[in-house]
């Protein structure tokens, strides 16, 4: 196995704006990368180019020292030793579970005892060894997704590509399948690229997260690094349900703001330059000495309420709070800290 390298990768479908625009990144050998971004940002197109289903307009894809795609050559999908899990599972309905899992082996000419042993090993890895004789129609959505994972594992791929694999599952099954993906990654040792628009999935599963928007790579980092230190307003808005405030502050102010600095910045009326400050809901508190804010929305989330607040200058915040407040109430808000974008 080896690292996967994308260098200035671009794809233009002739619409006037490239679907993928000069994306460069390195996915380390055995890493688990989540491609995160809104619909239409280019993340699935990147995945399809890595798989070999789309040809790059420009740039290159390398697996170790081996060139998968560049201006001169394109290695076909069947010769890349990669496997893909689709949102729709893509299982053959007329085949049994075991036959679906063993199909990639059959295509490669593997037969006999070796074939049976590898299929059984793959089914055991996703805890479906008792379901080999069933048809996909007799399985739940989560079980079908496990069959698709087993089909990936059976060929020992270098890279596993997953295109929003949990989109069709309910919330309970999503949690169960997240555990299955972690176990699958640990067991297979394969490099994995996981496309999703759900930041909770990306943060929970991946060793690294790449945030995309408008065909461009905005930032790539470990989940905790991305959450704590987003680069730019767009990443701050996409990750962590944070609010981005425009505040007046002296040039060269620190990246981390304490409450005194935030309060001063929000109440300044001079011509100091404006900066963007990312504020997470957990850094917003209600208490004496704060700035007045109007409660605009209240959502009960079980152990807490999430409320939308509007400051006097019209800017909005979110706060997690243990007590329900009435819409329209005016409350004092303290911003305990923030991150300058």
């Amino acid at each position: 196995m080896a690292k996967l390298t994308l260098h200035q990768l671009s794809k233009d479908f002739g619409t006037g704006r490239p679907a993928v625009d000069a994306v460069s990144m390195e996915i380390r050998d055995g890493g688990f990368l989540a491609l995160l971004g809104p619909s239409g940002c280019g993340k699935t197109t990147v995945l399809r180019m890595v798989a070999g289903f789309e040809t790059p307009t420009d740039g290159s894809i390398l697996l170790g020292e081996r060139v998968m795609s560049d201006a001169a050559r394109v290695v076909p999908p069947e010769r890349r030793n990669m496997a893909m899990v689709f949102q729709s599972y893509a299982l053959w309905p007329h085949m049994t579970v075991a036959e679906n899992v063993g199909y990639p082996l059959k295509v490669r000419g593997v037969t006999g005892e070796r074939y049976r042993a590898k299929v059984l090993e793959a089914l055991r890895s996703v805890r479906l060894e008792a379901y080999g004789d069933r048809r996909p129609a007799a399985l739940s959505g989560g079980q079908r997704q496990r069959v698709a994972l087993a089909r990936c594992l059976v060929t020992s791929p270098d890279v596993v590509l997953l295109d929003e694999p949990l989109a069709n599952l309910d919330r309970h099954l999503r949690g169960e399948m997240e555990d299955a993906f972690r176990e699958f990654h640990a067991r297979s040792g394969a490099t994995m690229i996981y496309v999703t628009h759900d930041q909770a999935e990306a943060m929970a599963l991946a060793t690294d997260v790449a945030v995309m928007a408008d065909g461009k790579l905005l930032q790539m980092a470990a989940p905790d690094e991305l959450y704590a230190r987003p680069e730019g307003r767009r990443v701050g808005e996409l990750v962590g349900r944070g609010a981005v405030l425009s505040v007046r502050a002296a040039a060269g102010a620190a990246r981390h703001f304490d409450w005194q600095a935030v309060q001063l910045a929000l109440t300044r009326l001079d011509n100091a330059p404006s900066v963007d400050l990312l504020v997470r809901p957990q850094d917003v508190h209600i208490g004496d000495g704060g700035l007045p804010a109007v409660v605009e929305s209240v959502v009960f989330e079980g152990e807490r309420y999430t409320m939308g607040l509007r400051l006097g200058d019209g800017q909005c915040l979110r706060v997690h709070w243990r007590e329900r407040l009435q819409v329209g109430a005016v409350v004092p808000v303290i911003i305990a800290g923030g991150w300058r974008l």
Side-chain angles (χ1 to χ4, degrees):
M1 294 186 186
K3 70 179 179 181
L4 182 67
T5 303
L6 313 184
H7 179 68
Q8 294 291 300
L9 193 65
S10 298
K11 181 64 178 181
D12 191 337
F13 291 103
T15 61
R17 182 177 64 86
V20 177
D21 190 359
V23 168
S24 295
M25 64 177 75
E26 287 189 356
I27 302 99
R28 58 186 173 82
D29 178 21
F32 193 151
L33 174 74
L35 284 176
L36 174 66
S39 297
C41 72
K43 55 189 186 295
T44 294
T45 302
V46 169
L47 199 75
R48 291 180 61 82
M49 285 192 286
V50 172
F53 300 148
E54 296 284 355
T55 302
T57 305
D58 198 4
S60 59
I61 302 170
L62 289 86
L63 183 60
E65 300 299 320
R66 187 182 177 205
V67 178
M68 299 286 108
S69 300
D70 65 10
R73 79 205 84 175
V74 176
V75 176
E78 64 273 16
R79 293 178 53 200
R80 296 191 179 206
N81 197 31
M82 298 180 183
M84 191 161 182
V85 178
F86 298 91
Q87 182 176 326
S88 61
Y89 317 132
L91 302 179
W92 296 102
H94 65 284
M95 293 182 180
T96 66
V97 165
E99 287 169 341
N100 268 282
V101 171
Y103 185 76
L105 296 174
K106 184 177 179 181
V107 170
R108 296 184 182 199
V110 179
T111 59
E113 185 57 35
R114 181 166 176 248
Y115 171 92
R116 288 187 290 273
K118 289 186 76 67
V119 169
L120 181 58
E121 180 185 3
L123 287 173
R124 281 175 176 164
S125 73
V126 295
R127 301 191 298 278
L128 286 178
E129 62 269 27
Y131 293 77
D133 293 332
R134 299 192 186 186
R135 298 291 175 89
L139 304 181
S140 69
Q143 289 169 333
R144 292 178 197 177
Q145 193 60 274
R146 289 176 187 272
V147 175
L149 281 175
R151 184 176 56 190
C152 282
L153 187 61
V154 77
T155 57
S156 302
D158 294 324
V159 181
V160 176
L161 308 171
L162 304 109
D163 188 9
E164 302 210 45
L166 304 186
N168 292 333
L169 302 182
D170 60 34
R171 182 172 295 183
H172 170 72
L173 282 176
R174 285 187 179 200
E176 180 181 321
M177 285 308 301
E178 283 180 6
D179 292 337
F181 284 132
R182 290 190 199 93
E183 183 180 340
F184 176 82
H185 182 237
R187 185 184 292 266
S188 69
T191 301
M192 296 177 69
I193 305 179
Y194 185 104
V195 164
T196 181
H197 63 272
D198 187 322
Q199 62 168 295
E201 281 181 18
M203 295 291 186
L205 289 170
T207 56
D208 296 284
V209 178
V211 180
M212 292 188 64
D214 301 323
K216 296 181 180 295
L217 175 64
L218 302 183
Q219 185 178 356
M220 179 175 168
D224 53 351
E225 172 76 12
L226 184 72
Y227 186 90
R229 288 173 283 278
E231 296 175 359
R233 187 183 187 103
R234 192 72 184 273
V235 179
E237 290 173 336
L238 285 171
V239 177
R241 301 182 70 187
V244 179
L245 302 180
S246 291
V247 299
R248 296 196 179 279
R255 293 299 295 269
H256 289 284
F257 280 58
D258 59 18
W259 163 234
Q260 288 77 16
V262 172
Q263 186 178 39
L264 175 62
L266 287 170
T267 56
R268 290 179 70 165
L269 300 176
D270 58 25
N271 293 321
S274 178
V275 298
D276 289 335
L277 180 67
L278 175 67
V279 180
R280 307 285 189 192
Q282 60 268 29
D283 290 326
V284 180
H285 305 289
I286 297 172
D288 294 339
L291 298 172
V294 178
V295 179
E296 291 208 322
S297 64
V298 180
V299 178
F300 182 56
E301 296 184 343
E303 73 280 3
R304 69 191 183 195
Y305 294 92
T306 294
M307 293 178 285
L309 307 175
R310 185 174 295 276
L311 297 171
D313 63 358
Q315 298 192 86
C316 297
L317 291 170
R318 289 191 188 93
V319 59
H320 298 321
W321 204 243
R322 61 186 177 276
E323 299 175 7
R324 181 186 182 93
L325 299 175
Q326 294 299 314
V327 173
V330 178
V331 295
V333 172
I334 297 172
I335 302 173
W339 175 252
R340 180 179 172 180
L341 296 173

